Amino acid sequence: FPGMQWFGDGKQLTIILHGQRFTFNLEALVDGASNAVVGARVTDAEDGLAVIQTFHEGLDTTGDKPPLAVTLDNRPSNFAPSIHQALSSTELLHSTPGRGQSKAPVEGSFGLFEQSLPSPMVITGDNDRAEARSVAQKIATAFFLGRNGRPRRKLGGHTPSEAYNQAY
């Protein structure tokens, strides 16, 4: 049931700006039952602070309703006392080492993210306006790819992408 268990992980996200490569951590928490991404934060590193910030975003998203459990991988930073303290309202579980399927909801979300916005994301433009337009284009692409993948009642439960492709 929704709210029973969230699955968390981090993924490297590379941005190229002015010919410089910047690598960030995209930390996400996904609810196992609904597959809702309850929290996602871009941070400098995959560490305890990233997990805590993402958990708090998840609480904001769900109206301060913590899950019964959160499953994280076995990175040493996920054993930090600060994480146990911040997630004290929920049971902290660690995934089975070497088995990505033990965090399937979050791993699948990262896979879909990578399909929509492959890394590295290159921000182009020779002035501030052009760079801002490039960022806006990446945001629009992500939104509309996500929108086109969402089932609609008026399309008989199909996504807009499926409805379009079935016409051919």
Side-chain angles (χ1 to χ4, degrees), residues 9-15 22-28 40-55 57:
D9 201 5
K11 174 194 182 338
Q12 284 193 337
L13 181 63
T14 301
I15 307 291
F22 299 95
T23 301
F24 300 102
N25 173 58
L26 172 58
E27 193 75 28
R41 303 290 302 167
V42 176
T43 62
D44 286 332
E46 185 175 357
D47 59 12
L49 182 58
V51 171
I52 292 166
Q53 288 175 344
T54 306
F55 182 76
E57 185 172 296

Side-chain angles (χ1 to χ4, degrees), residues 18-103:
H18 300 293
Q20 285 187 298
R21 181 179 290 264
F22 299 95
T23 301
F24 300 102
N25 173 58
L26 172 58
E27 193 75 28
L29 280 168
V30 178
D31 179 71
S34 66
N35 209 30
V37 178
V38 295
R41 303 290 302 167
V42 176
T43 62
D44 286 332
E46 185 175 357
D47 59 12
L49 182 58
V51 171
I52 292 166
Q53 288 175 344
T54 306
F55 182 76
H56 285 294
E57 185 172 296
L59 293 178
D60 289 345
T61 300
T62 62
D64 284 327
K65 296 177 193 149
L68 296 177
V70 171
T71 298
L72 302 173
D73 63 23
N74 290 285
R75 295 178 59 84
S77 61
N78 289 339
F79 290 100
S82 59
I83 290 181
H84 286 280
Q85 182 179 350
L87 278 67
S88 64
S89 61
T90 188
E91 183 75 25
L92 183 58
L93 305 172
H94 294 281
S95 65
T96 306
R99 295 183 56 93
Q101 62 268 39
S102 66
K103 297 183 311 237

